[in-house]
Amino acid sequence: ASAGAAGAAGASASARRSASGKASVVGHLAPDHVARDHAKIPESGDATVAVAQVGVATAAAEASAAEASQVARATWPPIVIGAVMLCTLLGFAMAPAVLPAALAKYVAEFLGTFVLVLTVSNCVLGGNPVWNATAIACSLMVMIYATGAVSGGNLNPAVSFALGLTGNLEWPVVFKYWVAQILGGLAASAIACSIHYPNTLSLGPVAPFTGCHAMVVEVLYTFMLCFVVLNCAASKQNNSPTDGNQFFALAIGFVIVAGGYAVGGISGAAFNPAVAIGLDMRNYACSWGIWYGIFELVGGALAACLYSVTRPEEMSGGDVSNYTATFSAKILSEFLGTFMLVVTVGFNIITGSTATAFSAAASLMCMIYSLGNVSGAHFNPAVTVACVARGACASMDGIGYVLGQMLAGLCAGLLTAIFHAAGPSKDTTFALKPGEGYTFSAAGVAELFFTFVLAYVVLATATTKRPSSQLTAQNFYFGLAIGSCVTAGGFAIGSVSGGELNPAVSAGVAMMGIMSPGSGPLPSYSYFIGFVLLELFGGLCAAVVFRLTHPREVKPDAPIELASVICEFVGTFALVFTVGCCILSGSGTWNATAIAAVLMVMIYATGPVSGGNLNPAVSFSLGLTGTIPWTKVFKYWIAQLLAGAAAGGAYEALFAPKTATLAPSEPFSWPYAVLVEAIYTAMLCFTVLNCAASKRNNPPNDGNQFFALAIGFVIVAGGYAAGGISGACFNPSVALGVDIKHGGARWGIIWALAEMLGGAAAAFLFWAVRPDERLSDDEFARYEPKLRTKCLSEFLGTFMLVLTVGLNVVMASPAVAWSAAASLMCMIYSLGGVSGGHFNPAVTLAVVTSGRGKCPASDGVAYAATQVLAGIAAGFMTKLFHDAGPNSGTEYPLKPGAGYDQLDAGLAEFFFTFVLAYIVLAVATTTPAPGSLKTKQNFQFALSIGSCVTAGGFAIGSVSGGELNPAVAIGISSQALSAGSLGCLALWELSGALLSSLALRLTHPGEFAPQAVKA
């Protein structure tokens, strides 16, 4: 249920009470003392006298007037405070003062840890259990990206300890970092407790688990976190002095997704002494905080030890450019990666996690990024079989890998069995078998197919030659792509087969069931044998198909015309089959994410061969813009439509007698469904054109690596926003596949026509925002977008962001912040090179006041006006859907959440808008150190900015709605036809933006006075 305006964090914490123990007189608008001292509301006895003397009607009128007065008086103090802060910060933000670099790095550590612990604390006190770990992971990731170039982005005493042990950080600096980190954590906890008062933070094992259980998992996942830091951010192999990677913070942050969902129900999942001490602040860290901190430092030491064993070349201090890992290091690498993957799966299972596939995917991604250049990071016997069959792994290595992987799976299963026997689900039997209502045949086919997808993506993204258009030798996306296969398959078929996709995972689950069987009988061992054989066969199939789709990996001059058509068929089939599985057996909360994941990975896998269209509407828009010839468009259409029909038939046969249907969702009529299909298909095609086809985003010798990430996550944006209206196809092949039982003749054709119209609209808008794409090479090099073009860019991006938020809100989506973040990320990737991709008046204010010529004041005024106009337009469109939708009787005004007042909401918006604006300044407007990166492409900038919305939206959604953007606030007010808390929240948001401008001067002095770096 939504709480507050955007309700991004779901149900809020219980309504707070005043010191007297009475519920607040005016609900969430003001506490008792404000109501009594300022509004002068009579006590109940006085009200009775008034009724007796004046009459019921008069009393009601007076009560109404008193309520209006008290609301106004409760609102004005926060507005005044916000206005004063705005004016004060404006002066500081424009000041030229900077810090020497020697001090800036400590400020960066304080600030980064502050933001992390502030997010953790708000999630604990008022967040959403389904999304808390994701929000915290995003917060950690974005602050590492923001502060990494200044301080290294440690933000964790255990990380600094591990870096000290490996010689990557001097010990005096380690100790100073500890002080800054712990102070940052304490300050953040204090502020969070003041917002959520009288609710307080606590830390300790989650019953029935004991302190021993909690300490073990804290050591384990702190080890994982520090190990990923050492491998991804510190190792010379992954960070050439002239060609650094851009995935380091993504890998580090998403350890929290892996461990947070896995063991949050055991220890609380701190993995950081600064977090532990902050959460235990009310006990002065003397209860559990100190013990957690000690064992987390042990985890850091363990990470340093195993890092030195898996990467001995890093400890020698010599040249590592030509180093090849020893066989023993490779086997240890495979053991560690597989163990962490399987133990993550196991802990998710026994704690009843709702996000097992997402957590497992994060674990796999992080360990692949860490160990990919040691052993290849297979962590899966089926993947090893595929690599051996493809010729990317020696047979003897493959045998050793499989043995190490299976041993790791068994060990992980044994460890999780111990926890299962002590946990709340100890009487439940977790065994390897088909899901309830499914046969082994159905489960086996599901495992085979999605294991094939996983192995195929490994071959296509991690074993192929570097494209000639890619300047950097670093592959930023391979770990993301491979891990996301588990997200797609795990959620799509988890209820059918368990979604293991990996014989080692199957072995771990089987071992857990044998060693801790619960109270039920164990199934036949034949299930384990059958699943393992089918998963291995899926790996072999991947090797065969890979040879058909990537012939130039075998013969460099091989023709690829037929291969490109096969790519379109394979990619579209995987997409539509996943959609069908999600509809018939998936998770309502995660379906859109699973579908987005499979689209992203198949674009990464097929993009170098066919362009990865996988959608007739996309091919249509590419044809209209002249990107691909029409003959190829028609060939692609045939392949895509045939694949959609084949996939539709396949999943219908798999799930018979259940069947999918395509139709407008009640109570919407078909025009509403057609409209959202056209809008979000246009967004999808527009993102393709800007991220994958534009010359500006893809120079011939320096192509970007974010294209598939941006395209895939349009499905997250539109899937949650429009899924309850039209089903969210956005693709004629998907529409045909879902409507296969009618041959597409019922609603499929109408949906397809709307989607093709969206593709045409995208082509038109692409030419409007990028007129330079049709210029000659000389004119293209000199081109600068005009202000009207920039304003159009800002209007489009802001409109899609606010519309996505609005539709999520009025449709009671379970993932408002996740969907909004995806919308923001996709549009920033698409339009960042046109206008900067602000889409937020607060961001524009921060960029203007940060100086450095990044945005002239005149442009800033035009941007802000355009963003406000876009917010209003999106708000009114949202109202159309709200009035026709299932929640038309529910109002969604802009106001604080239940149990919170205007000051609470203002403070929450202030701090998290500050985070958003600061991240924009730090990752999108700063200059990398000279020579540190080969590529000029910024892989992480939009991912970081969008992730701020994920962090803030879920952390404070129950407090303020988590808008973080005056344009979003205006859109919500427009939808409600009521200003509500607009003035108050907008002032706090703008104040947060000004604080970010000041903070950038303190943490990035080199941006303002290069000589300060030497001071």
Side-chain angles (χ1 to χ4, degrees):
S2 297
S12 68
S14 58
R16 302 177 302 157
R17 296 182 177 274
S18 66
S20 65
K22 297 180 181 178
S24 173
V25 174
V26 287
H28 54 263
L29 290 176
D32 277 356
H33 70 273
V34 173
R36 291 205 182 99
D37 295 345
H38 297 285
K40 306 297 182 187
I41 296 178
E43 298 293 341
S44 58
D46 297 331
T48 304
V49 173
V51 171
Q53 291 176 342
V54 185
V56 175
T58 304
E62 289 183 353
S64 178
E67 183 179 357
S69 175
Q70 83 185 42
V71 171
R73 291 174 181 273
T75 302
W76 277 109
I79 289 181
V80 172
I81 295 171
V84 171
M85 289 188 63
L86 185 68
C87 295
T88 304
L89 288 169
L90 181 61
F92 281 114
M94 300 299 290
V98 293
L99 286 178
L103 294 179
K105 61 185 178 183
Y106 303 114
V107 175
E109 285 297 307
F110 174 91
L111 180 60
T113 311
F114 173 87
V115 170
L116 170 62
V117 180
L118 185 69
T119 306
V120 172
S121 301
N122 277 281
C123 285
V124 169
L125 293 172
N128 182 331
V130 175
W131 293 100
N132 281 347
T134 303
I136 296 165
C138 287
S139 176
L140 176 59
M141 176 184 72
V142 303
M143 293 312 297
I144 291 174
Y145 273 132
T147 63
V150 180
S151 68
N154 295 190
L155 318 185
N156 183 334
V159 167
S160 299
F161 186 51
L163 290 168
L165 289 173
T166 55
N168 288 289
L169 199 62
E170 297 177 354
W171 284 107
V173 176
V174 170
F175 299 136
K176 292 175 184 177
Y177 274 14
W178 282 3
V179 173
Q181 292 157 354
I182 291 171
L183 288 177
L186 290 172
S189 296
I191 289 172
C193 286
S194 70
I195 292 174
H196 295 272
Y197 180 82
N199 294 330
T200 58
L201 296 164
S202 62
L203 179 70
V206 179
F209 293 104
T210 67
C212 291
H213 294 104
M215 295 309 107
V216 169
V217 296
E218 285 294 316
V219 170
L220 183 63
Y221 281 96
T222 306
F223 149 74
M224 182 181 181
L225 178 62
C226 296
F227 188 74
V228 172
V229 171
L230 292 170
N231 281 279
C232 295
S235 77
K236 289 175 280 188
Q237 281 273 35
N238 268 328
N239 290 279
S240 164
T242 59
D243 192 15
N245 76 70
Q246 295 185 39
F247 57 71
F248 62 97
L250 171 63
I252 297 166
F254 268 61
V255 172
I256 307 302
V257 170
Y261 289 110
V263 301
I266 298 174
S267 69
F271 315 150
N272 183 332
V275 170
I277 290 171
L279 293 179
D280 201 32
M281 183 176 65
R282 70 173 181 175
N283 297 310
Y284 305 102
C286 293
S287 177
W288 283 104
I290 189 67
W291 289 108
Y292 273 57
I294 290 171
F295 279 90
E296 287 155 357
L297 291 175
V298 171
L302 180 61
C305 176
L306 289 175
Y307 173 75
S308 66
V309 177
T310 55
R311 291 187 182 272
E313 77 283 4
E314 297 284 341
M315 309 303 293
S316 66
D319 181 23
V320 301
S321 57
N322 296 316
Y323 176 80
T324 300
T326 63
F327 181 72
S328 59
K330 291 178 181 179
I331 299 302
L332 176 60
S333 166
E334 289 296 312
F335 181 92
L336 289 174
T338 308
F339 179 86
M340 290 310 305
L341 168 62
V342 181
V343 83
T344 299
V345 172
F347 281 135
N348 271 275
I349 291 172
I350 66 172
T351 57
S353 167
T354 59
T356 303
F358 195 48
S359 177
S363 177
L364 179 59
M365 178 190 77
C366 300
M367 296 306 285
I368 287 174
Y369 275 133
S370 297
L371 296 169
N373 55 12
V374 176
S375 65
H378 300 178
F379 311 149
N380 183 335
V383 168
T384 298
V385 166
C387 289
V388 170
R390 180 251 193 275
C393 177
S395 298
M396 292 306 298
D397 282 1
I399 293 171
Y401 282 14
V402 170
L403 293 175
Q405 293 155 357
M406 295 301 286
L407 178 62
L410 294 172
C411 291
L414 182 60
L415 178 61
T416 52
I418 295 171
F419 279 77
H420 175 236
S425 61
K426 61 184 179 182
D427 293 329
T428 304
T429 301
F430 296 109
L432 193 68
K433 62 179 181 178
E436 181 114 15
Y438 295 97
T439 64
F440 174 75
S441 297
V445 169
E447 282 292 313
L448 187 155
F449 178 76
F450 281 100
T451 305
F452 155 77
V453 170
L454 171 60
Y456 176 77
V457 170
V458 170
L459 297 179
T461 64
T463 73
T464 53
K465 303 181 186 75
R466 185 177 71 186
S468 59
S469 62
Q470 183 179 310
L471 181 61
T472 174
Q474 298 278 3
N475 185 333
F476 301 149
Y477 60 81
F478 76 111
L480 173 64
I482 297 166
S484 294
C485 295
V486 175
T487 300
F491 288 123
I493 61 166
S495 65
V496 180
S497 65
E500 291 83 17
L501 320 184
N502 183 334
V505 172
S506 297
V509 173
M511 173 61 78
M512 182 176 69
I514 293 170
M515 300 306 297
S516 181
S519 58
L522 285 174
S524 168
Y525 292 116
S526 62
Y527 288 137
F528 168 68
I529 297 171
F531 277 15
V532 167
L533 290 176
L534 287 168
E535 289 158 354
L536 293 173
F537 184 62
L540 282 174
C541 292
V544 173
V545 173
F546 176 78
R547 287 179 175 271
L548 297 176
T549 58
H550 292 70
R552 288 187 176 173
E553 290 295 318
V554 179
K555 187 177 180 181
D557 59 347
I560 61 168
E561 288 77 10
L562 178 59
S564 64
V565 175
I566 296 173
C567 276
E568 289 297 308
F569 182 91
V570 171
T572 308
F573 184 96
L575 170 63
V576 179
F577 188 80
T578 304
V579 170
C581 291
C582 286
I583 292 172
L584 296 176
S585 70
S587 161
T589 301
W590 293 98
N591 280 347
T593 302
I595 296 166
V598 79
L599 176 60
M600 176 184 71
V601 304
M602 295 311 294
I603 291 174
Y604 274 133
T606 63
V609 180
S610 69
N613 294 191
L614 318 184
N615 184 332
V618 167
S619 298
F620 184 50
S621 64
L622 290 169
L624 290 173
T625 56
T627 305
I628 60 175
W630 284 104
T631 53
K632 182 174 284 190
V633 170
F634 297 138
K635 291 177 182 178
Y636 280 8
W637 280 359
I638 294 170
Q640 294 156 354
L641 293 172
L642 286 175
Y651 74 71
E652 288 280 347
L654 184 67
F655 290 96
K658 292 195 292 185
T659 185
T661 58
L662 181 68
S665 300
E666 294 291 342
F668 293 103
S669 59
W670 69 267
Y672 292 94
V674 165
L675 180 57
V676 293
E677 284 293 316
I679 289 173
Y680 281 99
T681 304
M683 181 184 180
L684 177 62
C685 296
F686 186 74
T687 303
V688 171
L689 292 170
N690 281 277
C691 296
S694 77
K695 292 183 289 185
R696 190 70 63 182
N697 264 331
N698 289 281
N701 61 346
D702 191 16
N704 74 71
Q705 297 188 44
F706 58 70
F707 61 98
L709 172 62
I711 297 165
F713 267 64
V714 173
I715 307 303
V716 171
Y720 290 106
I725 301 171
S726 68
C729 295
F730 317 148
N731 183 332
S733 293
V734 171
L736 173 62
V738 175
D739 199 32
I740 191 65
K741 68 178 181 180
H742 299 111
R746 188 179 181 188
W747 290 106
I749 293 176
I750 296 175
W751 260 231
L753 290 174
E755 290 151 0
M756 298 299 276
L757 181 63
F764 172 78
L765 291 172
F766 175 72
W767 289 131
V769 296
R770 292 190 181 273
D772 53 317
E773 293 290 326
R774 291 186 285 186
L775 298 177
S776 66
D777 290 344
D778 290 341
E779 293 174 315
F780 180 84
R782 296 193 302 269
Y783 174 80
E784 289 291 335
K786 295 180 180 179
L787 181 58
R788 64 174 179 267
T789 303
K790 294 178 181 179
C791 287
L792 175 60
S793 165
E794 288 296 310
F795 182 93
L796 291 173
T798 309
F799 179 86
M800 289 309 306
L801 169 62
V802 180
L803 179 65
T804 300
V805 171
L807 291 178
N808 271 276
V809 169
V810 301
M811 294 302 298
S813 161
V816 182
W818 184 238
S819 177
S823 176
L824 179 60
M825 180 189 76
C826 299
M827 296 308 286
I828 291 175
Y829 275 134
S830 297
L831 295 169
V834 178
S835 64
H838 299 180
F839 313 147
N840 183 336
V843 167
T844 297
L845 179 62
V847 176
V848 169
T849 56
S850 72
R852 300 166 297 147
K854 299 298 180 180
C855 181
S858 57
D859 284 9
V861 171
Y863 279 17
T866 302
Q867 292 154 357
V868 168
L869 181 62
I872 294 171
F876 285 140
M877 178 168 283
T878 301
K879 180 170 174 55
L880 293 176
F881 286 91
H882 178 226
D883 291 345
N887 302 311
S888 58
T890 304
E891 294 183 354
Y892 297 96
L894 188 69
K895 64 179 183 180
Y900 299 92
D901 58 42
Q902 297 278 13
L903 187 57
D904 296 331
L907 283 171
E909 289 291 319
F910 170 78
F911 281 111
F912 281 94
T913 306
F914 155 75
V915 173
L916 171 60
Y918 176 76
I919 294 302
V920 172
L921 296 177
V923 304
T925 74
T926 55
T927 304
S932 61
L933 297 173
K934 275 189 178 180
T935 178
K936 293 182 179 179
Q937 299 285 356
N938 189 331
F939 173 76
Q940 82 270 3
F941 78 110
L943 172 64
S944 299
I945 298 166
S947 295
C948 295
V949 175
T950 300
F954 289 124
I956 62 168
S958 64
V959 181
S960 64
E963 294 83 22
L964 320 184
N965 183 337
V968 172
I970 288 169
I972 293 170
S973 297
S974 300
Q975 174 273 138
L977 299 180
S978 170
S981 304
L982 175 61
C984 176
L985 295 184
L987 282 173
W988 284 96
E989 289 160 355
L990 293 172
S991 298
L994 289 175
L995 180 62
S996 72
S997 182
L998 173 61
L1000 188 75
R1001 287 170 163 77
L1002 299 178
T1003 59
H1004 291 71
E1007 285 291 311
F1008 300 90
Q1011 67 275 14
V1013 176
K1014 301 176 183 179

